[in-house]
Each structure stands twice: as C-alpha cells, then as structure tokens.
Amino acid sequence: MYRRSVLQVVSMSFPRKDQGPRLRPNLDLAVGSLPSIICGLLAMAFVLLATTDASRADGYAFDTGDVLRISVFGEAAYPLEVVVDDRGSISLPLLGDIQARGLNSVALSQAIQGAFQRQKLILEPFVQVAVGQYRPFFISGTVAHPGSYPFQPGLTVRQALSIAGGFRATITGNTEPALQIADLRSARSNLAIEEYRLKVRLARLQAESRQDKTFVAPPDPPVEFAGRLIADIVASEQAQLDAHLAAYRDDISYLEASTVRAKKEADMVATTRKEREKTADLQLEELQSARALREKGLVTNTNVMNAERAHTSYRAELAQTEFQQVQAQQELLNAESELRKKHQSYDMDLLAQTQDTEVELGKTQSQIRYVADKLLFIFTYGEQRTFDDLQGSVKISIFRRDQKAAHDIVADENTEVKAGDVIEVSVAANKGFYAPEISATGAIAPGVVGQ
C-alpha cells in the first residue's frame, strides 16, 4: 500500500478556496496537531530547496565517477552518497540500480521518484539529487604534475594548468636545461637509428612481396650512423630476404610438384576407368548374345555361366576403378588447396609484418618529433614560463566524451573545463620549431646553443 507523503498531509490540512467551509470542520482531524503543520512547512521548504539546487545543476550531465548525494524526505535510509559506476548506474536502497549516465539532477530525481511510485513504496516521493563530488578531470603532457584532479564548476584551462604546477618543458622541472638537452639528443640519436632500421626492414618486406631478390636501402641514413653499421643493417635484411624467398620457393615447388603428380594420377585413373567401361560393355554384349544362343539351343549352359562370371568380374574391377578415381580427384583437390593456402598464408604474413613495421615506424617518427619539440623548447625557454611568454607556442587540446561520441577540442587558456575532460598540453611545432637551425635529424646545429 502506498505511504502518504508529508505534502499530502499538508494539502489535507489547508482547504482550497473552492472547497469553502464544507471541509473546515475536518481541519483538526486532518492536521491532528501543530507539529503536523510544522512538518508540512518543512516539506514545502524541502521541495523549494530541491528545486533551487536542481536548477543550479540542471546543465550538468552525470557520468562514471560522479559522487551523488540522494535525499528522500521521510526515508530513514536517506540521505546517502552513491557513486556512478562504470555502467553509468547508481544503486539505491529499496530500488536497486537506477541509470544515471547522461541525466541531470532534475531528470535523475524524476527517475527515482518514478521508481518509488512503480514499486508502490511512496505515493508522492520528494527526491533531491545533488553532486557530492564531481568526477575528476585529467591533464597530461608538458606540465609539472600530470594526473587527475578534482573538478569544480567554472574551471578554466589556465586554472587547471595552475593546479597541475604550470607548463614545463619536462615533468621534473628541476633538471638543468643543459643536462636535459644532452639526454634528449641521445634519445633523438637512438630514435633516428631505430627509424632507419625500420625503413630498411620496410623496403625488404616490400621487395619480398614482389618476389624481388634485392631491395634498395633508404637513401637518408642518419648522421649518427657509421658506414659499417649501415652496411650491417642492410646485409642483415638482405640475408633475411634471401632465406625467406628460398624457403617460400622450396615450399611452392614441393606443393606444385605434388599437384602435378596428383593430376597425373587422376588422369591415369580416369583413362583406366574409361577402358574398363568399354570392356564391360563388350562383355555385356557377349553375355546377352550367349543367352540368346542358349535359348536357340546353339550353346550350352556352361558357356553362358562362364560369360556371366567374366562380366561380373569386370564390373567389380570397374567399381574399384571408380573408387580409385574418386580418391585421386580428392588428392588433387587437397594438393591444389594446400598450394593456395601457402600463397595466401605467405601474402597475409607479409602484409601483417608490413603493417606492424609501418606502425612501429609511425610511433618512432612521432617520438622523434616529440623529442625534437621538447629539445627545442627546453633550449628556447629552459624554465617554466607564463602564457604571455610562450606567445602561442603551446598547443592545448581537450578530449571530451558526451553521450553520443568522443571528440577532440582545440582549446586555449580561457576554455572552460568540464568534468571528465582529458587535457593534453604540448609544444606547438608551428611556432618556430623545426627551424633552419635544426638539422634533418632534429639535432641543434653547432653554435646555436648558448647564443
């Protein structure tokens, strides 16, 4: 049975104008006492507070990580704080799971009210939903202290950077710029060597896919390479090309020979079957002729029986030949299938290796660009700077997920941050980076440092 809400008691206590004096005699019965009136006023105040708080949070959509404060007037189990789980739901006493993702405070309070009514727990429940703690935002990249931080409404990128310790070329922020430059140059050299090695491998894989016996090494070895090291890398990939092609051709030759052999066997069995079919037909004619002569009394019964035995024997041999032909055809199909599988497996393996190498090459080149950006930024700025000092050299992007899709937003220091945002801070490569002073390998040319 429904339990009546406090507001219902209040509505019974104060008659409407259209009811007139007819309900006034029942006032004492409905109200009971002055404390009931006070409870009614408290309920009205509760509804007013809930409405006011909901209006403030009306534009905020809940998602995983939000801590919500749920109040249900008159319920002993409430108020309580619940966390929106990874399914976007909250778990409430008596009601179980309620979907909260994408809802604001008004919509969620209505959903909870509807759940109480559907389960016939409260006739007209009064529910207040407030944010106890917003889900955090995340900041990464060239900041002093990347990580997750508590969100507050009205937060801007400038404030988020301040919370994360400000923009810095390196996370530590305490290392001497000269030592950072040395470390980054070493990392850049190692990445350049890895980049060239992957380019040589990619050239070898492309030649292997064309069945070429040789390949042309990339013409841009990094300056960090000695001539002998380049020759060793190319020779190693050439040896792999020779070995792979030789093994592949051996396998193909064997399978092709097996296919030719199976085809010859099938053709031979088919020819044998045709000859035996002709012989069986001739013997059948002789048998029919012997039977006709026996009916005329021209041959004995023994001659007919000999002809029948000979015909039966040929029919048995013919059946055996038919079975052998089926087997030979199946062996031919198997041999052709193995040959096709070998071609397909070889091509798919080459394709997978090529794609993996291209991905690794892309990652390495991305790391090279990042190290070059970082190297030049440390050389140019060295220490933490303000946005005014940076003069547009910082790139800020925000990865934001809503109910429909996730997307990247190009931001600046005044962009408003939302709960759950991932802020990525990096050096913008179009603000003097990769300048003429930077060599093709990303190393700063001699004489630049210290100018």
Coordinates of all heavy atoms in Angstrom, one line a residue, residues 126-183:
F126 N 9.4 12.9 -2.5 CA 10.1 14.1 -2.8 C 11.6 13.8 -2.7 O 12.2 13.4 -1.7 CB 9.8 15.2 -1.7 CG 8.3 15.6 -1.8 CD1 7.4 15.2 -0.8 CD2 7.8 16.3 -2.9 CE1 6.1 15.5 -0.9 CE2 6.5 16.6 -2.9 CZ 5.6 16.2 -2.0
V127 N 12.3 13.9 -3.9 CA 13.6 13.4 -4.0 C 14.5 14.6 -4.4 O 14.1 15.5 -5.2 CB 13.8 12.4 -5.1 CG1 15.2 11.9 -5.3 CG2 12.9 11.2 -4.8
Q128 N 15.6 14.7 -3.8 CA 16.6 15.8 -4.1 C 17.9 15.1 -4.5 O 18.4 14.2 -3.8 CB 16.9 16.7 -2.9 CG 17.9 17.8 -3.2 CD 18.3 18.6 -2.0 OE1 18.0 18.2 -0.8 NE2 18.9 19.7 -2.1
V129 N 18.5 15.5 -5.6 CA 19.7 15.0 -6.1 C 20.7 16.1 -6.2 O 20.4 17.1 -6.9 CB 19.6 14.3 -7.5 CG1 20.9 13.8 -8.1 CG2 18.6 13.1 -7.5
A130 N 21.9 15.9 -5.6 CA 22.9 17.0 -5.6 C 24.2 16.3 -5.9 O 24.4 15.1 -5.6 CB 23.0 17.7 -4.3
V131 N 25.2 17.0 -6.4 CA 26.5 16.5 -6.7 C 27.4 16.6 -5.4 O 27.6 17.7 -4.9 CB 27.2 17.2 -7.8 CG1 28.6 16.6 -8.1 CG2 26.4 17.1 -9.1
G132 N 27.7 15.4 -4.9 CA 28.6 15.4 -3.7 C 30.1 15.7 -4.1 O 30.8 16.4 -3.4
Q133 N 30.5 15.1 -5.2 CA 31.8 15.3 -5.7 C 31.8 15.0 -7.2 O 31.4 14.0 -7.6 CB 32.8 14.3 -4.9 CG 34.3 14.5 -5.4 CD 35.2 13.6 -4.7 OE1 34.9 13.2 -3.5 NE2 36.3 13.2 -5.3
Y134 N 32.3 16.0 -7.9 CA 32.4 15.8 -9.4 C 33.4 14.8 -9.8 O 34.5 14.7 -9.1 CB 32.7 17.1 -10.0 CG 31.6 18.2 -9.9 CD1 31.6 19.1 -8.8 CD2 30.5 18.2 -10.8 CE1 30.6 20.0 -8.7 CE2 29.5 19.2 -10.7 CZ 29.5 20.1 -9.6 OH 28.5 21.0 -9.5
R135 N 33.2 14.1 -10.9 CA 34.3 13.2 -11.4 C 35.5 14.1 -11.8 O 35.3 15.2 -12.2 CB 33.7 12.4 -12.6 CG 33.3 13.3 -13.8 CD 32.6 12.4 -14.8 NE 32.2 13.1 -16.0 CZ 31.0 13.7 -16.1 NH1 30.1 13.6 -15.2 NH2 30.6 14.3 -17.2
P136 N 36.7 13.6 -11.7 CA 37.9 14.4 -11.9 C 38.1 14.7 -13.3 O 37.6 14.1 -14.2 CB 39.0 13.5 -11.3 CG 38.5 12.1 -11.5 CD 37.0 12.2 -11.3
F137 N 39.0 15.7 -13.6 CA 39.5 15.9 -14.9 C 40.9 15.4 -14.9 O 41.6 15.2 -13.9 CB 39.4 17.4 -15.3 CG 40.3 18.3 -14.5 CD1 41.6 18.6 -15.1 CD2 40.0 18.9 -13.3 CE1 42.5 19.4 -14.4 CE2 40.8 19.7 -12.6 CZ 42.1 20.0 -13.2
F138 N 41.5 15.3 -16.1 CA 42.8 14.7 -16.2 C 43.7 15.7 -17.1 O 43.1 16.3 -18.0 CB 42.8 13.3 -16.9 CG 42.0 12.4 -16.2 CD1 40.6 12.3 -16.4 CD2 42.5 11.5 -15.3 CE1 39.8 11.4 -15.8 CE2 41.7 10.6 -14.6 CZ 40.4 10.5 -14.9
I139 N 44.9 15.8 -16.7 CA 45.8 16.7 -17.5 C 47.1 16.0 -17.7 O 47.7 15.3 -16.8 CB 46.0 18.0 -16.8 CG1 46.8 19.0 -17.7 CG2 46.6 17.9 -15.4 CD1 46.8 20.4 -17.2
S140 N 47.7 16.0 -18.9 CA 48.9 15.3 -19.3 C 49.7 16.1 -20.2 O 49.2 17.2 -20.7 CB 48.6 13.9 -19.9 OG 47.9 14.1 -21.1
G141 N 50.9 15.7 -20.5 CA 51.8 16.4 -21.4 C 52.8 17.2 -20.7 O 53.3 16.8 -19.6
T142 N 53.1 18.4 -21.2 CA 54.2 19.2 -20.7 C 53.8 20.1 -19.5 O 53.7 21.3 -19.7 CB 54.8 20.0 -21.8 OG1 53.8 20.7 -22.5 CG2 55.6 19.2 -22.8
V143 N 53.4 19.4 -18.4 CA 53.0 20.1 -17.2 C 53.9 19.5 -16.1 O 54.4 18.4 -16.2 CB 51.5 20.0 -16.9 CG1 50.7 20.7 -17.9 CG2 51.1 18.5 -16.8
A144 N 54.0 20.3 -15.0 CA 54.8 19.9 -13.9 C 54.3 18.6 -13.3 O 55.1 17.7 -12.9 CB 54.9 21.0 -12.9
H145 N 53.0 18.5 -13.0 CA 52.5 17.3 -12.3 C 51.2 16.8 -13.1 O 50.1 17.1 -12.7 CB 52.1 17.7 -10.9 CG 53.2 18.3 -10.1 ND1 54.4 17.7 -9.7 CD2 53.4 19.6 -9.7 CE1 55.2 18.5 -9.1 NE2 54.6 19.7 -9.1
P146 N 51.4 16.0 -14.1 CA 50.3 15.4 -14.8 C 49.5 14.4 -13.9 O 50.1 13.8 -13.0 CB 50.9 14.7 -16.0 CG 52.3 14.5 -15.6 CD 52.7 15.6 -14.7
G147 N 48.3 14.3 -14.2 CA 47.5 13.3 -13.4 C 46.0 13.8 -13.3 O 45.6 14.6 -14.2
S148 N 45.2 13.2 -12.4 CA 43.8 13.5 -12.2 C 43.7 14.5 -11.1 O 44.4 14.4 -10.1 CB 43.0 12.3 -12.0 OG 43.4 11.6 -10.8
Y149 N 42.7 15.4 -11.2 CA 42.5 16.4 -10.2 C 40.9 16.6 -10.0 O 40.2 16.4 -10.9 CB 43.1 17.7 -10.5 CG 44.6 17.7 -10.6 CD1 45.3 17.4 -11.7 CD2 45.3 17.9 -9.4 CE1 46.7 17.3 -11.8 CE2 46.7 17.9 -9.4 CZ 47.4 17.6 -10.6 OH 48.8 17.5 -10.6
P150 N 40.5 17.0 -8.8 CA 39.1 17.2 -8.5 C 38.6 18.3 -9.4 O 39.2 19.3 -9.6 CB 39.0 17.6 -7.0 CG 40.3 17.0 -6.5 CD 41.3 17.1 -7.5
F151 N 37.4 18.2 -9.9 CA 36.7 19.2 -10.8 C 35.9 20.1 -9.9 O 35.2 19.7 -9.0 CB 35.9 18.5 -11.8 CG 35.1 19.4 -12.6 CD1 35.6 20.2 -13.7 CD2 33.7 19.6 -12.4 CE1 34.8 21.0 -14.4 CE2 32.9 20.4 -13.1 CZ 33.5 21.2 -14.1
Q152 N 35.8 21.3 -10.3 CA 34.9 22.3 -9.8 C 34.3 23.1 -10.9 O 35.0 23.4 -11.9 CB 35.7 23.3 -8.8 CG 36.1 22.7 -7.5 CD 35.0 22.2 -6.7 OE1 33.9 22.7 -6.7 NE2 35.2 21.1 -5.9
P153 N 33.0 23.4 -10.8 CA 32.3 24.1 -11.9 C 33.0 25.5 -12.2 O 33.5 26.1 -11.2 CB 30.9 24.3 -11.4 CG 30.7 23.2 -10.4 CD 32.0 23.0 -9.8
G154 N 33.1 25.9 -13.4 CA 33.7 27.1 -13.8 C 35.2 27.1 -14.0 O 35.8 28.1 -14.2
L155 N 35.8 25.9 -13.9 CA 37.2 25.7 -14.0 C 37.7 26.0 -15.5 O 37.0 25.5 -16.4 CB 37.6 24.3 -13.6 CG 39.1 24.0 -13.6 CD1 39.7 24.6 -12.3 CD2 39.3 22.5 -13.5
T156 N 38.7 26.7 -15.6 CA 39.3 27.0 -17.0 C 40.6 26.3 -17.1 O 41.2 25.8 -16.2 CB 39.5 28.5 -17.2 OG1 40.5 29.0 -16.2 CG2 38.2 29.3 -17.0
V157 N 41.1 26.3 -18.4 CA 42.4 25.6 -18.7 C 43.5 26.3 -17.9 O 44.4 25.6 -17.4 CB 42.6 25.6 -20.2 CG1 44.1 25.2 -20.5 CG2 41.7 24.7 -20.9
R158 N 43.5 27.6 -17.8 CA 44.5 28.3 -17.1 C 44.6 27.9 -15.6 O 45.6 27.6 -15.1 CB 44.3 29.8 -17.2 CG 45.4 30.7 -16.5 CD 45.0 32.1 -16.5 NE 45.0 32.7 -17.8 CZ 46.1 33.2 -18.4 NH1 47.2 33.3 -17.7 NH2 46.0 33.7 -19.6
Q159 N 43.4 27.7 -15.0 CA 43.3 27.3 -13.6 C 43.8 25.8 -13.5 O 44.4 25.4 -12.5 CB 41.9 27.4 -13.1 CG 41.5 28.9 -13.0 CD 40.0 29.0 -12.7 OE1 39.2 28.2 -13.2 NE2 39.6 30.1 -12.1
A160 N 43.4 25.0 -14.5 CA 43.8 23.6 -14.5 C 45.3 23.4 -14.6 O 45.9 22.6 -13.9 CB 43.1 22.8 -15.6
L161 N 45.9 24.3 -15.4 CA 47.4 24.3 -15.5 C 48.0 24.7 -14.2 O 49.0 24.1 -13.8 CB 47.8 25.2 -16.7 CG 47.7 24.6 -18.1 CD1 48.0 25.7 -19.1 CD2 48.7 23.4 -18.3
S162 N 47.4 25.7 -13.6 CA 48.0 26.1 -12.3 C 47.9 25.0 -11.2 O 48.8 24.8 -10.5 CB 47.2 27.4 -11.8 OG 47.6 27.8 -10.5
I163 N 46.8 24.3 -11.2 CA 46.6 23.2 -10.3 C 47.7 22.1 -10.6 O 48.2 21.5 -9.6 CB 45.2 22.6 -10.4 CG1 44.1 23.6 -9.9 CG2 45.1 21.2 -9.7 CD1 42.7 23.1 -10.2
A164 N 48.0 21.9 -11.8 CA 49.0 20.8 -12.2 C 50.4 21.3 -12.1 O 51.3 20.7 -12.6 CB 48.7 20.3 -13.6
G165 N 50.6 22.5 -11.6 CA 52.0 23.0 -11.4 C 52.5 23.9 -12.5 O 53.7 24.3 -12.5
G166 N 51.7 24.2 -13.5 CA 52.1 25.1 -14.6 C 52.7 24.3 -15.7 O 53.1 23.1 -15.6
F167 N 52.9 25.0 -16.8 CA 53.6 24.5 -18.0 C 55.0 24.4 -17.8 O 55.7 25.3 -17.4 CB 53.2 25.4 -19.2 CG 53.8 24.8 -20.5 CD1 53.0 24.0 -21.3 CD2 55.1 25.1 -20.9 CE1 53.5 23.5 -22.5 CE2 55.6 24.6 -22.1 CZ 54.8 23.8 -22.9
R168 N 55.6 23.2 -18.1 CA 57.0 23.0 -18.0 C 57.5 22.1 -19.1 O 56.8 21.2 -19.6 CB 57.4 22.3 -16.7 CG 57.0 23.2 -15.5 CD 57.9 23.0 -14.3 NE 57.5 23.9 -13.2 CZ 58.0 23.9 -12.0 NH1 58.9 22.9 -11.8 NH2 57.7 24.7 -11.1
A169 N 58.7 22.3 -19.6 CA 59.2 21.5 -20.7 C 59.4 20.1 -20.3 O 59.3 19.2 -21.1 CB 60.6 22.1 -21.2
T170 N 59.8 19.8 -19.0 CA 59.9 18.5 -18.5 C 59.1 18.3 -17.3 O 58.8 19.3 -16.6 CB 61.3 18.1 -18.2 OG1 61.8 19.0 -17.2 CG2 62.2 18.2 -19.5
I171 N 58.7 17.1 -16.9 CA 57.9 16.9 -15.7 C 58.7 17.2 -14.5 O 58.1 17.8 -13.5 CB 57.4 15.4 -15.7 CG1 56.5 15.2 -16.9 CG2 56.7 15.1 -14.4 CD1 56.0 13.7 -17.0
T172 N 59.9 16.9 -14.4 CA 60.7 17.1 -13.2 C 60.8 18.6 -12.9 O 60.6 19.1 -11.8 CB 62.1 16.5 -13.3 OG1 62.8 17.1 -14.4 CG2 62.0 15.0 -13.5
G173 N 61.2 19.4 -13.9 CA 61.2 20.9 -13.7 C 62.4 21.3 -13.0 O 62.6 22.5 -12.8
N174 N 63.3 20.4 -12.4 CA 64.4 20.8 -11.6 C 65.7 20.5 -12.2 O 66.8 20.8 -11.7 CB 64.3 20.2 -10.2 CG 63.1 20.6 -9.4 OD1 62.7 21.8 -9.5 ND2 62.5 19.7 -8.7
T175 N 65.7 19.7 -13.3 CA 67.0 19.3 -14.0 C 67.5 20.5 -14.8 O 66.8 21.3 -15.4 CB 66.7 18.2 -15.0 OG1 66.0 17.1 -14.2 CG2 68.0 17.7 -15.6
E176 N 68.8 20.6 -14.8 CA 69.5 21.7 -15.5 C 69.1 21.6 -17.0 O 69.2 20.5 -17.6 CB 71.0 21.6 -15.3 CG 71.5 22.0 -13.9 CD 71.2 23.5 -13.7 OE1 71.2 24.3 -14.7 OE2 70.9 23.9 -12.5
P177 N 68.8 22.7 -17.7 CA 68.5 22.6 -19.1 C 69.6 22.0 -20.0 O 69.3 21.2 -20.9 CB 68.2 24.0 -19.5 CG 67.8 24.7 -18.2 CD 68.5 24.0 -17.1
A178 N 70.8 22.3 -19.6 CA 71.9 21.7 -20.4 C 72.0 20.2 -20.3 O 72.2 19.5 -21.3 CB 73.3 22.3 -19.9
L179 N 71.7 19.6 -19.1 CA 71.6 18.2 -19.0 C 70.4 17.6 -19.7 O 70.5 16.5 -20.3 CB 71.6 17.8 -17.5 CG 72.8 18.2 -16.7 CD1 72.6 17.8 -15.2 CD2 74.1 17.5 -17.3
Q180 N 69.3 18.3 -19.7 CA 68.1 17.8 -20.4 C 68.4 17.8 -21.9 O 68.0 16.8 -22.6 CB 66.9 18.7 -20.1 CG 66.5 18.7 -18.6 CD 65.3 19.6 -18.4 OE1 64.6 20.0 -19.3 NE2 65.1 20.0 -17.2
I181 N 69.1 18.8 -22.4 CA 69.4 18.8 -23.8 C 70.3 17.7 -24.2 O 70.1 17.0 -25.2 CB 70.0 20.2 -24.2 CG1 69.0 21.3 -24.1 CG2 70.6 20.1 -25.6 CD1 69.6 22.7 -24.3
A182 N 71.3 17.3 -23.4 CA 72.2 16.2 -23.6 C 71.4 14.9 -23.7 O 71.6 14.1 -24.6 CB 73.3 16.2 -22.6
D183 N 70.5 14.7 -22.7 CA 69.7 13.5 -22.6 C 68.8 13.4 -23.8 O 68.7 12.3 -24.4 CB 68.9 13.5 -21.4 CG 69.8 13.3 -20.1 OD1 70.9 12.8 -20.2 OD2 69.3 13.6 -19.0

